[in-house]
Amino acid sequence: MSFNTVILKNFFKNLKNYALYMFALVFSVVLYFSFVLMSQDDSAVEEIQSSQLMSTGFTVGSVLLVVIILAFVMFANSLFLKRRNRELALFQLIGLTHGEILRILVLENAVIYFSSLVFGIAFGFLTSRTLLMILLRLMQVELSVGLNFSVQAVIQTAILFVGIFTLLMIQNFIFLKRTRLISMLTLDQSSEADYSGMGIGTMILGLLGLIMISSGYWLSMNIIEFGSVLLLVLFGILFLTIVGTYLTFKASVAFVLNMIRKSKQGCVSVNDVLSLTSIMFKMKSNAFLLSLVSIISAISMGLISFSYISHYSVESLIESTVSHDYTFYEEEDMQFYSHLLDDSEIEHRPLVIPTISYVARGDGIISGNGDDDSEISLNIVSEEFVDDTEVDEGELVIHGLSTVVGVYMDFDLNRSITLYNDDYEVTLELVETNEDAALPSFVARGRLQAVVSSEVYSRLEENAIHDKEQAEPHEAFVIDIVGEDSQEIFQLMNGENNPLFESRIEQYTNQIQGAGILMFVIGFVGLAFLMTTGCILYFKQIGESEDEKDTYKVLRKLGFSVNEIVKGLTLKVAITFGIPLIIGLLHTYFAVNAGWFIFGNEMWIPMLTVMGAYIVLYSTFGLVSILYYKKTVRDSL
Amino acid sequence: MIIQAKDIKKSYGNKRNRTEVLKGIDLTIEAGEFVTIMGASGSGKTTLLNVLSSIDNVTSGHVYIEDQDITQLKEKKLADFRKKDLGFVFQEYNLLNTLTVKENILLPLSIRETKKAEAEKQFKLVSEELDIYNLKKKYPSEISGGQKQRTSAARAFIHQPKIIFADEPTGALDSKAASSLLSKMKQLNKKINSTILMVTHDATAASYSKRVVFLKDGLIYSTLIKGERTQESFYKEIMNTQSVIGGVSVEF
Ligand SMILES: Nc1ncnc2c1ncn2[C@@H]1O[C@H](COP(=O)(O)OP(=O)(O)O)[C@@H](O)[C@H]1O
Ligand SMILES: [Mg+2]
């Protein structure tokens, strides 16, 4: 039997143990390949108005994917190497050089790697179709998804993975060079059990970690107050939460667990042996990894939430900035299009909306900085031009109050607002605020709109001082389509030589496609991040279960049943997955809470959806870990 | 002489927290000798063996094997050296679970591309001697601890290395199996003039060798030479020295 046959046999018999590693590889290939394949789908690109944005989004996304895949595969490889320590040491003992061992590794890895590549590409091809369907759905583009296999995508994926392969071999070589033979022979015994006590230092660090995180959260809750040094505060929050997270894992968790342990006064149960003590030992050395996992998942969840919020809010955002189906800059333009629509027998309503501006003050206005007698400038519109709004004499309704504006400006309902100028003033009661705009944005110029009854409006108009310097339009020219507006109508009007106009449906399409791509790319990459962090924790558990095999054996010899041991391990898994999960969720909540209004007007539904998906994902990984533990315990005796 | 150790020191730990396990060991072993290292548990026996056999490196001092300073040797040369001249029997068995007993034993021959017939002959010889020939198709998970240890020993002997390093080779064996393994070692030592360096805490095992070196507090405490005596009387002297050093009776 030649040495090569021995190696081959060893390899194929070991294949089961490589499953994890292969899974990591196939998973990465699927991610990358389906992503690339999708970005090169010509039929989809043609259909989409914002294809420029799409390709930029996909480029940025693929770079991020490469980064996470690289980190993930290298992590898996290092675990894999550690598992094979003994074997590699034995080869050295019988006289193989590092070069020869590396050659074995290269060969083995090449087999694993390229079969994973083929599998991954096949799977990726299948998933990419599903993914593309999701993307088009998010962009609200009607298009049936065909089978589009791109050789270029295969080549691109292959090149990337050959590159990663080279990096892995360098990693293997460095590992072989750097690790002494003696430590390889004894590595799996002396793993991470350096436990340096629970001194006063740990206590202070633990407390500091919790204080840092809390103050980071407090700052994020009050971020509005720091308008002038916003950037500084943002970095402060990042610093506090990241370092705080690390300290929490390094010290606080061990500290708290130690308190629990102490409270038992020596009567440690099997649960404690398997969960508390094991975690206490490992938590400190895993602190870096666990904080990385929490922070990465918080960032991913935060970004996914933000992009989901903006996708979710496109419609209402359009409502609060675009008041009518079509808006024109000149009255003639409006008439031109009105004729055009008449010719095609499309029912519509042209409108000329007059407006004047007044300064307002009163109890009803609460400005962001807490001044009582703040003044704002309002565009006044008569009630007859605003659908669905009933205003009696002496009443006033504020329109166009979007969430972003709402952060800086608030109104007290049923209080008075006085509109005034040098010659005239009238006091009205604020009865309602409304997000929808009553005027086109280029007429409103960022001011809120006050809708009043037509009598009040005529009086206000009579007494208005027409300021010559403010050469702004005082009439808005709009057309509303009776019934639903549609792409066909928009295309009809959007002739090449026709006058300029603004269209709600066009803005909506652009924004929903942009938000759709953004959400998809961020969602995809973010999900990839979350999956990899989950996988990493799972791999860690597998490693620990191997290390603790002897403990299970002892416990079973002492008469504990498999179920009793697994119960203790379940607690351990719950803590290992649960603490990063909870910290990740908390970080996400405070991050989203601090900034969501910039992206849209609904925070809870998108954020809770993302968090729910994350919880399900992590629970799945936790469950799979428990099953793995169960198998290990059962086989330990 | 085949092995020469000069003022070997070995410490573990970092700057703040250092423990010196070997505090300056000088030891010379002639070709064809069978030397045992004894000492209380934790006295540094395994450490010394590892350092002498190129598995671990020294903190200071030099180890010469056939006049080559192995503490200065390049990795490639070291590998070559292990391949040709060294055999290891470990406290832990270090068998590949994926290979049968026979394949494990033949591993050193397979990397030297020995002819099949020759390898077969060697295998039969060694495995019959150690009473594991019938296990040749079994996997390590299917055999007992003692059988694993004998497999590991057979692997160390199969290529008839110049030097055999053995760490507690009889640790997992009953007295019958232990004596057959030790006889085999003694025989190899006699027939093909292999040099053997063995670590043990078992006085019976030690009595098979020609010289026993006692370690205490990181230094060589004393040396016993068998000379022309019977194994019996050598065993008694080893026992006496052990009881002088102390701590032996509690060791198991
Ligand atoms: N990797 C290591 N790190 C720290 N201390 C070690 C290490 N290996 C051995 N020691 C210490 O060195 C001493 C000698 O160990 P060893 O040579 O294994 O003793 P033995 O004589 O029982 O074989 C022991 O006190 C042990 O604690
Ligand atoms: Mg020892």
Side-chain angles (χ1 to χ4, degrees):
Chain A
M1 200 175 203
S2 79
F3 191 63
N4 286 340
T5 18
V6 171
I7 293 300
L8 272 183
K9 179 172 181 203
N10 181 41
F11 170 65
F12 283 112
K13 290 218 103 183
N14 253 334
L15 217 51
K16 199 176 60 170
N17 299 340
Y18 302 167
L20 199 67
Y21 185 53
M22 289 178 86
F23 169 77
L25 282 172
V26 173
F27 175 68
S28 307
V29 176
V30 169
L31 276 184
Y32 188 76
F33 180 69
S34 54
F35 198 71
V36 171
L37 191 61
M38 204 168 23
S39 68
Q40 292 175 350
D41 193 301
D42 295 333
S43 58
V45 170
E46 263 168 35
E47 190 69 17
I48 293 162
Q49 292 175 15
S50 37
S51 57
Q52 178 63 39
L53 184 68
M54 178 156 156
S55 75
T56 316
F58 273 104
T59 310
V60 175
S62 62
V63 170
L64 285 173
L65 265 186
V66 170
V67 172
I68 184 75
I69 286 174
L70 191 63
F72 179 51
V73 173
M74 284 181 102
F75 177 81
N77 188 46
S78 74
L79 282 186
F80 182 56
L81 271 179
K82 233 164 124 185
R83 297 267 122 235
R84 306 190 57 194
N85 242 307
R86 284 294 191 93
E87 199 180 323
L88 298 179
L90 178 67
F91 287 152
Q92 289 188 52
L93 271 185
I94 62 169
L96 289 190
T97 62
H98 286 163
E100 287 165 321
I101 294 175
L102 192 69
R103 208 155 56 222
I104 296 174
L105 286 178
V106 169
L107 269 174
E108 288 183 0
N109 274 286
V111 174
I112 297 177
Y113 220 82
F114 293 104
S115 48
S116 304
L117 197 59
V118 172
F119 270 119
I121 285 177
F123 274 127
F125 180 53
L126 297 179
T127 39
S128 79
R129 291 185 55 215
T130 321
L131 289 169
L132 191 58
M133 273 177 335
I134 296 174
L135 171 61
L136 293 177
R137 180 101 176 244
L138 283 176
M139 295 171 72
Q140 301 184 353
V141 173
E142 306 273 338
L143 180 72
S144 63
V145 178
L147 282 164
N148 248 324
F149 194 79
S150 147
V151 179
Q152 202 201 331
V154 175
I155 294 172
Q156 197 174 328
T157 309
I159 288 175
L160 173 73
F161 279 81
V162 169
I164 293 182
F165 182 75
T166 317
L167 281 177
L168 287 186
M169 289 308 112
I170 293 174
Q171 184 190 17
N172 288 349
F173 187 68
I174 291 174
F175 176 83
L176 276 178
K177 265 262 166 315
R178 288 252 298 264
T179 318
R180 298 237 189 72
L181 187 46
I182 180 73
S183 38
M184 282 174 108
L185 281 167
T186 50
L187 197 79
D188 34 332
Q189 297 145 20
S190 67
S191 51
E192 290 149 334
D194 90 63
Y195 180 57
S196 50
M198 211 36 87
I200 187 96
T202 311
M203 216 170 102
I204 293 173
L205 277 184
L207 227 53
L208 188 67
L210 294 177
I211 291 173
M212 282 177 87
I213 292 186
S214 324
S215 46
Y217 286 170
W218 181 83
L219 278 176
S220 81
M221 299 274 283
N222 298 289
I223 196 160
I224 290 300
E225 325 251 320
F226 299 97
S228 49
V229 283
L230 196 63
L231 211 60
L232 207 70
V233 175
L234 275 179
F235 278 110
I237 293 175
L238 276 180
F239 173 79
L240 284 172
T241 43
I242 289 176
V243 176
T245 307
Y246 178 70
L247 290 179
T248 302
F249 282 114
K250 189 92 191 157
S252 316
V253 173
F255 176 64
V256 171
L257 292 180
N258 194 43
M259 300 273 273
I260 298 172
R261 190 190 190 185
K262 272 218 176 110
S263 73
K264 309 222 166 174
Q265 299 182 328
C267 303
V268 281
S269 69
V270 62
N271 277 0
D272 304 331
V273 173
L274 292 169
S275 56
L276 293 188
T277 44
S278 160
I279 289 173
M280 269 168 59
F281 276 113
K282 301 230 155 106
M283 193 60 92
K284 276 180 143 178
S285 54
N286 288 346
F288 182 73
L289 185 77
L290 289 175
S291 4
L292 205 65
V293 163
S294 317
I295 288 162
I296 284 180
S297 28
I299 291 174
S300 312
M301 276 195 287
L303 290 179
I304 299 176
S305 299
F306 285 144
S307 65
Y308 191 4
I309 287 172
S310 59
H311 186 262
Y312 193 92
S313 312
V314 164
E315 185 158 5
S316 52
L317 228 55
I318 293 278
E319 291 292 332
S320 68
T321 49
V322 184
S323 55
H324 297 84
D325 287 343
Y326 295 95
T327 310
F328 309 93
Y329 300 105
E330 306 288 344
E331 190 161 6
E332 302 86 70
D333 298 349
M334 180 183 80
Q335 269 143 18
F336 170 85
Y337 284 107
S338 185
H339 288 308
L340 193 70
L341 292 171
D342 278 339
D343 292 345
S344 309
E345 294 180 342
I346 295 164
E347 245 188 291
H348 64 278
R349 211 153 43 98
L351 272 180
V352 178
I353 309 173
T355 176
I356 40 173
S357 61
Y358 262 82
V359 180
R361 62 162 188 253
D363 313 338
I365 305 170
I366 308 160
S367 81
N369 48 24
D371 272 339
D372 284 343
D373 44 27
S374 49
E375 292 187 342
I376 55 170
S377 191
L378 293 173
N379 273 318
I380 318 295
V381 181
S382 167
E383 174 233 8
E384 62 200 285
F385 296 104
V386 184
D387 292 344
D388 316 325
T389 302
E390 297 291 327
V391 187
D392 285 339
E393 177 120 34
E395 288 181 355
L396 173 144
V397 172
I398 295 286
H399 267 256
L401 185 65
S402 65
T403 328
V404 185
V405 179
V407 171
Y408 297 96
M409 173 114 27
D410 206 358
F411 292 90
D412 243 356
L413 289 188
N414 304 319
R415 305 292 282 270
S416 65
I417 287 182
T418 306
L419 305 171
Y420 71 101
N421 62 25
D422 292 348
D423 305 335
Y424 181 77
E425 69 170 59
V426 58
T427 300
L428 302 165
E429 187 192 354
L430 176 65
V431 291
E432 189 191 334
T433 59
N434 194 322
E435 288 188 1
D436 298 351
L439 285 174
S441 56
F442 67 89
V443 178
R445 293 260 189 117
R447 284 192 292 246
L448 298 173
Q449 297 105 56
V451 177
V452 298
S453 66
S454 34
E455 293 81 13
V456 176
Y457 184 82
S458 7
R459 265 183 280 132
L460 282 167
E461 192 180 22
E462 271 163 36
N463 293 293
I465 300 171
H466 287 287
D467 192 338
K468 290 270 175 329
E469 282 169 23
Q470 289 184 317
E472 58 192 81
H474 281 78
E475 278 168 330
F477 312 105
V478 301
I479 289 181
D480 270 330
I481 304 292
V482 176
E484 281 287 299
D485 192 12
S486 69
Q487 282 293 341
E488 286 76 39
I489 301 177
F490 169 68
Q491 294 304 343
L492 172 78
M493 292 173 63
N494 196 22
E496 210 163 298
N497 296 314
N498 294 355
L500 290 175
F501 64 94
E502 288 180 9
S503 151
R504 172 149 59 190
I505 198 165
E506 182 198 25
Q507 291 191 30
Y508 177 76
T509 310
N510 280 340
Q511 291 207 21
I512 199 81
Q513 287 192 357
I517 289 171
L518 209 65
M519 179 176 165
F520 180 81
V521 171
I522 292 178
F524 189 91
V525 176
L527 207 64
F529 271 66
L530 292 180
M531 291 280 273
T532 33
T533 56
C535 277
I536 283 174
L537 287 183
Y538 171 63
F539 287 4
K540 263 285 199 247
Q541 295 301 302
I542 291 184
E544 285 177 16
S545 79
E546 296 287 330
D547 291 344
E548 292 173 357
K549 246 185 190 153
D550 290 339
T551 314
Y552 311 149
K553 195 171 179 171
V554 170
L555 286 172
R556 285 194 61 189
K557 278 184 177 161
L558 288 175
F560 290 100
S561 72
V562 174
N563 276 343
E564 280 170 310
I565 299 175
V566 170
K567 230 165 76 192
L569 289 170
T570 306
L571 188 64
K572 173 181 163 178
V573 170
I575 296 177
T576 318
F577 281 90
I579 292 178
L581 177 78
I582 289 170
I583 292 186
L585 288 175
L586 279 174
H587 281 6
T588 308
Y589 168 74
F590 282 99
V592 172
N593 191 41
W596 66 278
F597 54 83
I598 300 168
F599 300 92
N601 51 13
E602 172 61 44
M603 164 175 132
W604 288 103
I605 295 175
M607 187 181 74
L608 289 180
T609 311
V610 174
M611 286 180 161
Y614 175 62
I615 293 172
V616 169
L617 199 71
Y618 262 46
S619 310
T620 312
F621 277 113
L623 207 67
V624 176
S625 306
I626 292 171
L627 291 179
Y628 190 89
Y629 270 119
K630 193 163 184 171
K631 185 175 162 296
T632 314
V633 173
R634 212 181 301 120
D635 297 345
S636 69
L637 207 58
Chain B
M1 67 209 148
I2 192 156
I3 304 175
Q4 187 179 28
K6 280 194 176 155
D7 196 25
I8 296 179
K9 291 182 178 154
K10 175 76 184 173
S11 4
Y12 287 113
N14 50 26
K15 279 200 189 85
R16 273 181 298 145
N17 186 9
R18 272 189 104 68
T19 44
E20 197 168 39
V21 177
L22 303 177
K23 298 178 179 161
I25 303 263
D26 290 293
L27 183 66
T28 305
I29 296 171
E30 300 296 335
E33 259 197 301
F34 185 167
V35 179
T36 300
I37 299 169
M38 294 191 80
S41 180
S43 59
K45 306 183 293 289
T46 300
T47 308
L48 179 60
L49 190 83
N50 286 342
V51 162
L52 292 178
S53 62
S54 79
I55 291 177
D56 204 352
N57 37 9
V58 295
T59 307
S60 74
H62 295 276
V63 177
Y64 299 92
I65 294 189
E66 293 190 312
D67 297 324
Q68 278 207 67
D69 186 353
I70 61 162
T71 58
Q72 309 292 326
L73 227 48
K74 283 255 158 41
E75 187 271 330
K76 221 179 149 113
K77 279 244 161 142
L78 264 181
D80 206 37
F81 177 61
R82 287 189 200 116
K83 181 154 118 190
K84 285 214 302 268
D85 300 333
L86 305 189
F88 294 91
V89 187
F90 275 106
Q91 216 165 353
E92 302 91 28
Y93 317 114
N94 277 303
L95 299 176
L96 289 187
N97 291 323
T98 51
L99 302 181
T100 61
V101 165
K102 182 174 176 183
E103 286 161 348
N104 264 296
I105 293 173
L106 286 180
L107 217 48
L109 292 188
S110 64
I111 65 164
R112 300 135 146 264
E113 286 157 21
T114 313
K115 290 258 156 31
K116 212 173 167 189
E118 171 67 17
E120 198 65 38
K121 201 179 111 201
Q122 290 290 343
F123 170 70
K124 197 157 192 285
L125 213 73
V126 173
S127 61
E128 274 179 347
E129 205 111 32
L130 289 171
D131 203 16
I132 47 176
Y133 183 75
N134 293 330
L135 303 174
K136 63 180 179 178
K137 294 223 170 77
K138 292 219 152 74
Y139 284 91
S141 57
E142 301 165 335
I143 61 179
S144 75
Q147 290 166 333
K148 280 187 205 164
Q149 188 135 39
R150 279 178 280 158
T151 306
S152 155
R155 188 183 62 206
F157 300 155
I158 189 114
H159 57 300
Q160 305 184 338
K162 277 190 191 151
I163 312 173
I164 293 168
F165 293 99
D167 191 353
E168 312 265 10
T170 57
L173 302 181
D174 58 55
S175 58
K176 187 171 156 277
S179 73
S180 85
L181 176 60
L182 288 163
S183 307
K184 172 69 190 167
M185 284 171 74
K186 201 169 164 180
Q187 185 196 342
L188 271 174
N189 170 245
K190 236 193 211 140
K191 267 199 202 149
I192 57 167
N193 216 27
S194 285
T195 309
I196 299 179
L197 185 61
M198 174 173 81
V199 162
T200 187
H201 62 262
D202 176 11
T204 321
S207 68
Y208 280 79
S209 59
K210 293 178 184 164
R211 176 155 62 121
V212 178
V213 176
F214 287 90
L215 286 189
K216 195 182 184 208
D217 299 331
L219 290 169
I220 291 181
Y221 176 78
S222 72
T223 303
L224 301 179
I225 294 170
K226 183 176 174 221
E228 297 305 313
R229 280 178 291 178
T230 60
Q231 199 172 336
E232 205 93 301
S233 72
F234 192 39
Y235 169 77
K236 282 201 182 108
E237 195 181 354
I238 296 168
M239 285 301 276
N240 286 340
T241 316
Q242 262 192 330
S243 57
V244 172
I245 295 177
V248 173
S249 53
V250 291
E251 167 160 7
F252 276 109

